[in-house]
Structure formats: C-alpha cells, structure tokens
Amino acid sequence: WQARCTPRCFLVLALVVLGGWAPAETLPGWGLYDRLCVACHGTDGDGRGPAAPYTWGRPRAFVRGTYLWRSTSFLQPPTDDDLRTTIGFGAPGSSMPGFGDVLAPAEIDQLIAIVKAFSPDTFAVPPSKLAPQGFSRAKEARPRSAAGSHDLLPSVVPLGPPPPRDPVRGAKLFGQWCAACHGTGAGDGPSAFALAIKPYPLVSVPLRRPRASEDRDVVRAAAAHSIATGLAGTPMGGFSGKLPDDDLWALADRVLEINARARDQRGVIDPEAIALDRASPIAAGTWPGAGELSPFGGAIEPQGPPPPSLAPAQASLDAQQCARCHVKQVREWEPSVHRGAGSPGFLAQTIAMPTPQRAACLRCHAPLPEQAADGVQGVSCAGCHVRAWTRLGPPKLATSLLPIPAYPLVTLASYERSDFCLPCHQSPPRTAAAGKPLLDTYREWLESPYMRRGMQCQHCHMANREHAMLGIHDPQTLRQGIELAASAHRKDGTVTVLASLRNIGAGHALPTTATPVVILRIELYDARGRAIEGARSELRIGRDLDGDLERSDTRIMPGEQATLARAWTAGRVSEAVTAKITVEVHPDAAFEQPYAKALAGPLPQAQRALYEQALAKGRASHYLAEQREVTIANP
C-alpha cells in the first residue's frame, strides 16, 4: 500500500481524520471515474493518466484546482454548473468527450464530487448554481451564510444580452487589446515569445469551451464568455469590467471570423507530444500512466527463485502448469494470437536484430525473460498475471476458483480497463507517420464513441473473460464488425454499382493496424455466370505505409463507412445481369511481401525455414468475409 500511495493519499487521509474532506476513492462516483476518466486524468487526478500522451489537448490536472472554463471571475473556482457543462458537453476539438447523453444527472453530480475532492482547498466555499448557459439542472436557491449574505460565494460574471454582430468593430478592438499576444490569430504577436504558455492558435484550433451545439449563436456566446472571464492558468485574463459588454461581444465576432477555418485535428497526435516523446529515452512496450502499477509498466524483471511456500505447479511459469487450475482460460488461449505472438515471422525477423532492438520487440511478443529465448509461448499467462511470484488479476475473480492463501494475489482495476492493453497495442508518439503512430489502436478507441460509453477493449475481445482474444484473423469476429450494403442499376446503357462497408462493431479503425488489408470488390457477371471482362473494381481498405511515409489511409473509423462506386458502359456490359460484391480479408498482408523478398535472397537455413513457415501461414490466412450477388435493376 505504501508503495502505491502518493502524497495526495496522505493529505486526504489527514483530512478525513480531521473530518475535513473525503478522498475521491471513497466517494460513490469513483467507479464511474475509474471507467470513464482515469485513462486521461489519472487515478490521482493529476492529468497523468495512461492516455495523456495520446490526447489532443492535455488532460486537466484536477489537483491543481485551476479551470479554464468558468462563469466566475478570474481567481474564483468554477461553479457546479460550470463543471456540469464540461462533463455534459465535453470540449469540442479536444479529446474530452461529452457524457451528457450517456450519464444520468445524478451520475454527473457524482463525477463533480470526485473532481472537487482532488482539490478540496479550491472548492472550500460552496459554489453557486447560477452559471449562465450551462448544462444545468433546475436552478436551486443559493445558500446563504449565517449573516444571510452571498459575499462568500463565487460570483458569476455578468454578461449582457448579445447585440447585433459587429466584426468590423471587433477587428479594431482585437488590434487594441489582443494582437500583442495573439497577433494574426496564430499566437504570433510580439509579446508571445515571452509567455510560458503560448497564446491559443485561433486560426487553426477550434474553440474548446464546452457548449450545447455548434450553432453560430451558441459558439459566439462561448467565445464572449471566455473573453469576459479569462482562462485561469494561462496569461489570458478576463476583460469583464475592463470593456463594455457590447465590446466583449464584438471581440467574440472577430474571434469567430479568425476561427472559421480551424479544423478538428483529433485524428492525429499533437505535434508537441510527438516531439516530446522523440526526445525521451523511454521505449515502446511501457505503460505511460502515473499512479497504479501496470503489469506492462516496463521490461519485466526475472521472477527469481520461487518462495518455498509455493507448490511446484505454482512455482512454474509454463502455461501448461497454469492450466491445472485455469483449464478453461488456457484452452481459449492456446489457439490465440497472443499464444502465437512469438510466431515464425517474428522469430525470423529478430534473429539478426541488435540486442536492444530485439529486447524492445520481446517486451510485447514474449514478455517474460524466462521464456524470451525461444518465444514459443508468446504472451503467456504469467506474462500478464505474475510478477515476483505474485499473482495479479482483476478485482472480481471467478467464483469457481478456490483461494490459495500461500499464493499471493494483488487485484488491480486496470485489468478491466483499455489502458491495460495500451503498452502493446499502441505505439508511442515517436513512431508517428502523418501524425499517427505505427500502431494506434488505443488512441482510436479513445476518440471513438465506445470510450465515452464505458466500453473497454475487454468487452469485445475478452467477452465473458474468455482468453481467445479474437480479432481480424477470425472471420466471424470480422463479420460481426461490418455491415455491407450494395445496389446496382442500368440506365441509358450504363451499369452503375454502389457498395459500402460500414464499421458497426469495432471500437477502433477497421482494420486498426497497418498489417491487414480488407478488399471491397465489385464484379459484373452475365446470365451464364461468366465474368464480364473489364468490369471489375476494387477498393483497398487499410493503411499503406512505406517506412515513415504514409501513402494512403482508407481505414474505416467507428460508425463510418467506405464506399466504392463504379459505372461501366463499354464492352459486354449490356450482357451483365448481376453484380457480385466481395469483402476479402488478408490479415497479414503487410508481411507477405517482405517475407517473399527475404526468401529471394541468401539466408541461413534456420532463418529461411522460419520465413517459409511465416509466408505460408500468411497466405493461408486469407478469407472471404462477405460475398453477395445483386441483380442489376433495369429502368
């Protein structure tokens, strides 16, 4: 316990003893916070969650008690309704989603209590419930002090009703009051160089203040309120009381003009995060969060001699010994991709690698040092569940397992969160090509609708805690994640076919890595079932990389679709009666060509044998996920 307890733990413990404040972990909303917020904001509310290196916009450090978006004056805390607005609507253009449509008001209130518990001094004064234009419940009476005064309450900054738009006056005021820092709107003013926190790049980044919609009047109000209240924790002070309300609205009009061409950039990693990671010595395969230990927090140390209290089966790291008690899990794991992570292709590629590079690859493909020499068991049971001869696992254990007092057990909440999978299913920012890391699965999930609904990787890939970890190599799993639609018609001698493939079941891009390729194909056939020559078209769905160069990225994000449309007029098209739509999957496509290329040159016999196995395995993994015939409709 002492090893995991941070200074904040001791602070809140002291406050509890003194009767001053309850630690966040003891509050009713902690389960919600753990599921929806820990990934970014961390178990300690310090903004150092495991997802922090991959977010667009740094996660808020609640422990600092500093909040950008408030309805209150510059040095005062936000009201509960301010926090409710942020949680409900999220921060547009950042990785902070809105939870207002998936959480009940009472659940949002529980999260507000958690947020405030991280910085009790900040919220020592009860907040007002009178924030304007907030994601709020019915207004409540403001509590009075014993003297019947509101003087101790955070005061909401008043802002008059919006006047007619006046961007011309706004441009003049912007030059007088804002250009010294913001310059042209790119944060290039003459004073910007001296600021530790650079001015907000209005020309390129959307306004992030939480709001109900992107309606122009709503965005205008958001800009006006930020100008009036300022952004605490930055050099941007509030202008309420310094300028008339009409001037504040005019400045908002100018800001909207500058911000009109800003684009949401969450599809890539913040360039600053990439640069920071490339300057860091930390390698891939590590857990980037602060706080709770992760089983993949770095290179796994050798277990050492087993304690004498363990029986021989417990003192073994071999999965077959694990199967004595965990027979169901090991049977599911045996045919899995985890079991095959030390595949012939992996071993062939790493034979001649320098030791440091090979060690970095082994962190994920054969993480236990005792098993790394041959990699045969890949990601084994002990690779995820044993450290220093102590078992690690999720908080809720299977009721079928009898407790063994002599075999130490530590339960960690991260086993039920997606960040458990992060170290091996998310490449670090330094590997980014076109702003996207080589392996970007965790960040894709983070930006997807699945994250804000609390659906973790384990919900789909370890349903009922099964250890098969099925993915794109399994045809049925792929079929469950796609929806194919197709139509074909003839008009004026032209045959037009439209086929679309939608990602309805994957909480990340489909396919997520650069290795697989999904081929959406259209072919025309005549009445005798013969293919019409020249009437064939294909769409390659995948990410095509050449080293650090991204040639294309046609993957399908969650809820989106890829469409292939083609029209033919020449040749035997007049004989076409059906269109065949095919979805073909090559799970290991990116490796097949390099394997074949390696086999074309001289190789040691052992390495050649591994490459031959790998190439044969890759080619054998091809399958048809969908095949449908559509009758060509005539007018």
Side-chain angles (χ1 to χ4, degrees), residues 36-310:
L36 301 175
C37 313
V38 158
C40 297
H41 297 284
T43 54
D44 293 329
D46 56 5
R48 297 177 62 198
Y54 308 102
T55 59
W56 192 267
R58 304 300 293 174
R60 179 68 45 208
F62 300 134
V63 292
R64 295 179 185 173
T66 303
Y67 293 86
L68 296 177
W69 306 303
R70 313 164 328 282
S71 61
T72 56
S73 57
F74 193 70
L75 296 179
Q76 291 186 329
T79 68
D80 278 13
D81 271 351
D82 290 332
L83 298 177
R84 193 171 290 113
T85 297
T86 300
I87 296 171
F89 295 135
S94 79
S95 294
M96 171 65 189
F99 296 96
D101 60 341
V102 296
L103 294 180
E107 292 176 313
I108 292 179
D109 285 350
Q110 289 179 345
L111 290 178
I112 290 172
I114 297 286
V115 168
K116 294 166 69 174
F118 283 121
S119 182
D121 289 344
T122 301
F123 297 96
V125 178
S128 165
K129 296 286 187 178
L130 299 179
Q133 302 195 19
F135 184 88
S136 64
R137 303 173 302 178
K139 304 306 180 188
E140 300 176 14
R142 297 176 67 178
R144 293 179 177 269
S145 67
S149 168
H150 298 300
D151 293 343
L152 296 179
L153 296 175
S155 57
V156 173
V157 172
L159 186 62
R165 292 190 179 90
D166 194 353
V168 175
R169 176 166 176 73
K172 181 179 179 181
L173 290 166
F174 191 91
Q176 294 173 346
W177 292 92
C178 312
C181 295
H182 287 282
T184 63
D188 53 357
S191 300
F193 77 95
L195 301 176
I197 298 177
K198 300 306 178 187
Y200 196 81
L202 296 167
V203 296
S204 58
V205 179
L207 299 181
R208 291 179 179 164
R209 189 179 182 98
R211 51 189 180 268
S213 72
E214 293 307 298
D215 178 83
R216 185 173 179 83
D217 288 338
V218 175
V219 179
R220 185 191 188 207
H225 279 93
S226 287
I227 295 167
T229 61
L231 303 177
T234 78
M236 172 70 181
F239 285 86
S240 178
K242 299 177 183 177
L243 293 174
D245 285 357
D246 283 2
D247 285 355
L248 300 180
W249 286 105
L251 278 171
D253 293 330
R254 176 56 181 162
V255 167
L256 261 62
E257 279 195 336
I258 297 172
N259 199 238
R261 295 186 179 180
R263 294 291 178 267
D264 189 336
Q265 297 172 298
R266 288 175 298 168
V268 297
I269 288 183
D270 189 325
E272 291 184 6
I274 296 173
L276 182 65
D277 186 60
R278 287 177 175 170
S280 168
I282 299 175
T286 59
W287 194 76
E292 180 180 319
L293 171 72
S294 167
F296 284 108
I300 300 173
E301 297 296 327
Q303 307 288 327
S309 59
L310 296 185

Side-chain angles (χ1 to χ4, degrees), residues 544-621:
D544 188 8
L545 295 175
D546 183 6
D548 293 336
L549 174 67
E550 181 181 82
R551 288 185 287 229
S552 66
D553 186 354
T554 54
R555 296 174 301 159
I556 314 172
M557 294 299 157
E560 298 182 4
Q561 69 180 29
T563 300
L564 175 60
R566 184 65 193 272
W568 291 275
T569 57
R572 295 176 49 234
V573 170
S574 60
E575 301 176 29
V577 296
T578 60
K580 183 180 290 185
I581 318 298
T582 304
V583 179
E584 185 175 325
V585 183
H586 298 184
D588 298 313
F591 290 128
E592 292 179 31
Q593 185 175 355
Y595 292 164
K597 184 177 180 181
L599 287 168
L603 288 172
Q605 186 56 41
Q607 192 176 22
R608 176 173 292 278
L610 289 170
Y611 271 125
E612 287 173 347
Q613 293 178 50
L615 182 58
K617 183 179 178 182
R619 288 173 174 170
S621 69

Side-chain angles (χ1 to χ4, degrees), residues 349-380:
Q349 293 176 81
T350 56
I351 281 178
M353 274 187 182
T355 300
Q357 186 178 353
R358 187 172 191 272
C361 295
L362 287 171
R363 282 191 183 183
C364 291
H365 286 266
L368 281 184
E370 293 87 351
Q371 298 173 345
D374 56 21
V376 170
Q377 292 202 353
V379 183
S380 64

Side-chain angles (χ1 to χ4, degrees), residues 365-618:
H365 286 266
L368 281 184
E370 293 87 351
Q371 298 173 345
D374 56 21
V376 170
Q377 292 202 353
V379 183
S380 64
C381 310
C384 289
H385 290 285
V386 179
R387 296 292 181 274
W389 297 109
T390 296
R391 288 176 298 161
L392 306 176
K396 298 177 182 178
L397 301 179
T399 56
S400 60
L401 295 175
L402 294 175
I404 305 177
Y407 199 171
L409 169 67
V410 173
T411 60
L412 299 175
S414 60
Y415 274 84
E416 295 182 340
R417 298 198 307 258
S418 291
D419 53 89
F420 181 86
C421 310
L422 183 158
C424 290
H425 292 272
Q426 175 68 49
S427 297
R430 70 185 66 188
T431 67
K436 293 166 288 188
L438 177 63
L439 179 59
D440 207 20
T441 304
Y442 179 81
R443 193 187 62 83
E444 291 163 5
W445 166 82
L446 188 72
E447 301 289 356
S448 80
Y450 289 76
M451 179 270 173
R452 68 189 190 93
R453 288 172 169 82
M455 291 192 65
Q456 311 291 329
C457 302
Q458 293 87 335
H459 284 107
C460 293
H461 294 282
M462 294 188 69
N464 298 317
R465 292 199 175 173
E466 294 184 358
H467 283 62
M469 273 75 77
L470 299 176
I472 198 167
H473 286 80
D474 178 63
Q476 186 58 28
T477 300
L478 187 282
R479 292 181 187 119
Q480 291 169 344
I482 61 174
E483 181 180 69
L484 178 65
S487 62
H489 68 272
R490 189 193 316 273
K491 184 177 181 180
D492 299 330
T494 298
V495 173
T496 302
V497 183
L498 178 68
S500 63
L501 192 67
R502 182 177 294 276
N503 176 356
I504 62 168
H508 44 69
L510 196 158
T512 179
T513 74
T515 302
V517 168
V518 176
I519 302 168
L520 178 60
R521 181 181 301 120
I522 296 173
E523 298 173 283
L524 298 186
Y525 286 80
D526 63 18
R528 298 174 63 184
R530 298 175 301 182
I532 305 293
E533 185 178 354
R536 175 184 171 123
S537 185
E538 291 183 350
L539 174 63
R540 179 189 187 277
I541 301 171
R543 191 179 184 198
D544 188 8
L545 295 175
D546 183 6
D548 293 336
L549 174 67
E550 181 181 82
R551 288 185 287 229
S552 66
D553 186 354
T554 54
R555 296 174 301 159
I556 314 172
M557 294 299 157
E560 298 182 4
Q561 69 180 29
T563 300
L564 175 60
R566 184 65 193 272
W568 291 275
T569 57
R572 295 176 49 234
V573 170
S574 60
E575 301 176 29
V577 296
T578 60
K580 183 180 290 185
I581 318 298
T582 304
V583 179
E584 185 175 325
V585 183
H586 298 184
D588 298 313
F591 290 128
E592 292 179 31
Q593 185 175 355
Y595 292 164
K597 184 177 180 181
L599 287 168
L603 288 172
Q605 186 56 41
Q607 192 176 22
R608 176 173 292 278
L610 289 170
Y611 271 125
E612 287 173 347
Q613 293 178 50
L615 182 58
K617 183 179 178 182

